[in-house]
Amino acid sequence: MDFSLTEEQEMFRGHIRKMLDKFGGTQIAREMIDDNPQSLKKVYTTLAELGCSGINIPEEYGGMDLEALDLVPTFEEMGRSLVPGLFMETSALAVPTLKKYATEEQKQHNLPAIASGEKWISFAALEPFNDFSPAGIHCTLVQQDGQYVLNGTKTLVPEAELADAFLVLVRTNEEDQEDGLSLVLIDQTEDMKIEKQSSFDESKHVSKVEFQNFIIEENQIIGELDKGWTQLQEGLLYFNAALSSYIVGAMEQVVQMANEYAKIREQFGQAIGRFQAIKHSIVNMKVNLEIARSLSHYANWVVDTDESDREATVYSARTYATEKFIEVSAHNIQIHGGIGFTEEIDCHLYVKRARYYDQYVGSTPFYQEKVVASLGW
């Protein structure tokens, strides 16, 4: 089976790479560390002008009505430059969820704005001192006098300051601990209390969002009430397939950095790339990259099908990519030696992003268990 991208997709990749290189590649991430999102906003505007934000949105809502596989060049190039922000949460989590479960009114309200790059959606699930599981969701949505009242705190919400709306996982049934959850989409308002938190990866901002007697309308509930966890699993298949593509792009840049440095750094009168230990290390990094790429491409193809190995494929791609991203970024530091630990060189940016995604929207062991369960073992 041929997993390579088409000629048109590779040409599109070239346009995105050229655009991101003009913005300085990882300079966008470095500016986010300094709390300066101006370049990031310009990048997102340009991505929307290129049509990236509408790739998987139906034509009747202003999109191109293409498949998840068509988003791969965009995600891989964004990963190569470590572009932060909410593109992945919006295009690979919110859009598939809205397409499958939202009402026509909700689609009309959200999808055209997303396609034009006017609306970016963050995801709020985690809560203080709880894990990413149904039992860990205590933020409540209760019906009172014909209204829905939301109370609770969400933590580690990505890029809350850039979000136009939040896809929030809430508890709507206290008796059903296995599910009893619902998804709600809330536009950002001044009534929300947003407090920035510390992040291991300073280029990825996270915040705590508090809801106190926050009133929402019934038409903000996405899909069937009390079935939010089941609906979220469908969205997470698309998200994890996209995340594996983003990581592949980042790994490719890491391997390229290690290879180029091994050619110019000399030791004992010759380039370190001539030593067997360095050669073997770079070859192993390249093998890991190509395996992750194959798994990622297949995951992004299979997620739009009814194949029986759909879940196992996506979760395998996610877990393999996150584990190997950590491994290759650590080897890159070793090859660079002492200079690899400095702020001036990009090596540390990739290490931190690898560790960030290792625990993002479910940990690697969490998804390894899902692989096992989906295979019936």
Side-chain angles (χ1 to χ4, degrees):
M1 186 177 289
D2 183 7
F3 294 124
S4 59
L5 300 181
T6 65
E7 184 177 348
E8 290 78 11
Q9 288 168 331
E10 289 293 351
M11 287 177 61
F12 191 53
R13 175 206 297 280
H15 289 300
I16 299 169
R17 177 173 297 191
K18 190 175 180 181
M19 182 272 289
L20 291 176
D21 286 347
K22 283 185 177 178
F23 279 95
T26 55
Q27 183 60 29
I28 307 162
R30 288 181 177 275
E31 290 179 7
M32 282 296 283
I33 295 174
D34 298 329
D35 286 329
N36 179 9
Q38 296 309 312
S39 293
L40 178 64
K41 290 179 179 178
K42 292 178 182 176
V43 165
Y44 274 27
T45 299
T46 309
L47 285 172
E49 290 172 351
L50 288 171
C52 298
S53 55
I55 286 177
N56 60 338
I57 291 178
E59 290 182 4
E60 61 264 37
Y61 305 109
M64 300 180 186
D65 204 14
L66 299 176
E67 307 289 340
L69 191 61
D70 295 293
L71 277 163
V72 167
T74 305
F75 285 126
E76 287 190 357
E77 288 309 309
M78 292 179 73
R80 179 175 166 272
S81 295
L82 292 181
V83 177
L86 295 170
F87 189 95
M88 196 155 45
E89 286 79 2
T90 303
S91 294
L93 178 58
V95 168
T97 304
L98 289 169
K99 282 167 61 178
K100 185 151 189 174
Y101 299 109
T103 63
E104 181 59 30
E105 180 187 358
Q106 290 167 336
K107 291 177 182 176
Q108 291 286 356
H109 179 67
N110 295 289
L111 292 181
I114 294 172
S116 61
E118 298 170 359
K119 191 166 196 173
W120 301 102
I121 300 174
S122 185
F123 177 53
L126 280 175
E127 298 180 12
F129 311 112
N130 291 316
D131 62 2
F132 183 63
S133 69
I137 307 302
H138 300 286
C139 187
T140 59
L141 183 67
V142 179
Q143 190 171 18
Q144 293 178 355
D145 302 326
Q147 294 179 317
Y148 284 89
V149 182
L150 177 60
N151 277 292
T153 301
K154 293 295 181 182
T155 189
L156 300 178
V157 179
E159 327 286 6
E161 75 277 17
L162 300 176
D164 300 294
F166 298 87
L167 186 64
V168 187
L169 187 63
V170 297
R171 178 158 296 284
T172 45
N173 188 333
E174 295 286 354
E175 297 178 358
D176 185 357
Q177 290 299 313
E178 285 297 317
D179 201 332
L181 306 175
S182 299
L183 287 170
V184 295
L185 187 61
I186 305 172
D187 290 335
Q188 182 163 176
T189 69
E190 295 180 352
D191 296 334
M192 295 179 186
K193 185 179 178 182
I194 299 176
E195 180 182 340
K196 189 176 178 181
Q197 296 179 292
S198 299
S199 174
F200 178 80
D201 180 353
E202 303 96 329
S203 64
K204 289 289 291 179
H205 297 177
V206 292
S207 298
K208 180 171 70 175
V209 181
E210 292 186 35
F211 300 98
Q212 295 180 349
N213 295 321
F214 193 88
I215 304 297
I216 71 168
E217 304 293 332
E218 186 174 2
N219 61 9
Q220 291 176 269
I221 299 173
I222 306 298
E224 188 177 351
L225 197 68
D226 296 344
K227 300 298 180 185
W229 184 255
T230 303
Q231 295 157 5
L232 178 62
Q233 302 316 300
E234 178 69 13
L236 286 177
L237 283 177
Y238 286 87
F239 180 81
N240 283 302
L243 178 58
S244 66
S245 296
Y246 186 100
I247 290 175
V248 164
M251 288 175 67
E252 184 169 27
Q253 180 63 12
V254 168
V255 175
Q256 184 179 340
M257 287 172 62
N259 189 41
E260 290 179 353
Y261 188 74
K263 293 177 183 174
I264 59 172
R265 175 75 168 96
E266 291 190 355
Q267 191 66 271
F268 305 115
Q270 58 184 328
I272 62 172
R274 294 180 65 86
F275 299 134
Q276 285 295 325
I278 300 295
K279 287 181 181 177
H280 288 168
S281 182
I282 293 176
V283 167
N284 286 337
M285 292 164 70
K286 180 68 173 174
V287 170
N288 290 333
L289 165 63
E290 295 307 326
I291 294 173
R293 193 195 307 277
S294 296
L295 288 171
S296 165
H297 285 191
Y298 183 54
N300 280 280
W301 174 80
V302 80
V303 76
D304 278 319
T305 72
D306 295 322
E307 296 288 327
S308 59
D309 61 346
R310 184 169 174 256
E311 291 187 15
T313 298
V314 172
Y315 296 141
S316 295
R318 151 81 192 236
T319 55
Y320 185 87
T322 47
E323 283 187 333
K324 296 307 175 184
F325 188 18
I326 293 172
E327 192 174 309
V328 300
S329 57
H331 285 169
N332 187 37
I333 292 252
Q334 292 173 352
I335 289 171
H336 277 74
I339 197 173
F341 291 91
T342 64
E343 292 285 336
E344 288 75 14
I345 305 298
D346 282 346
C347 300
H348 70 100
L349 296 175
Y350 290 89
V351 171
K352 291 175 181 175
R353 188 60 62 86
R355 290 294 181 181
Y356 180 88
Y357 281 140
D358 184 40
Q359 299 292 326
Y360 188 57
V361 195
S363 64
T364 298
F366 173 83
Y367 285 108
Q368 286 171 332
E369 290 179 4
K370 281 186 166 292
V371 174
V372 172
S374 62
L375 292 172
W377 293 348

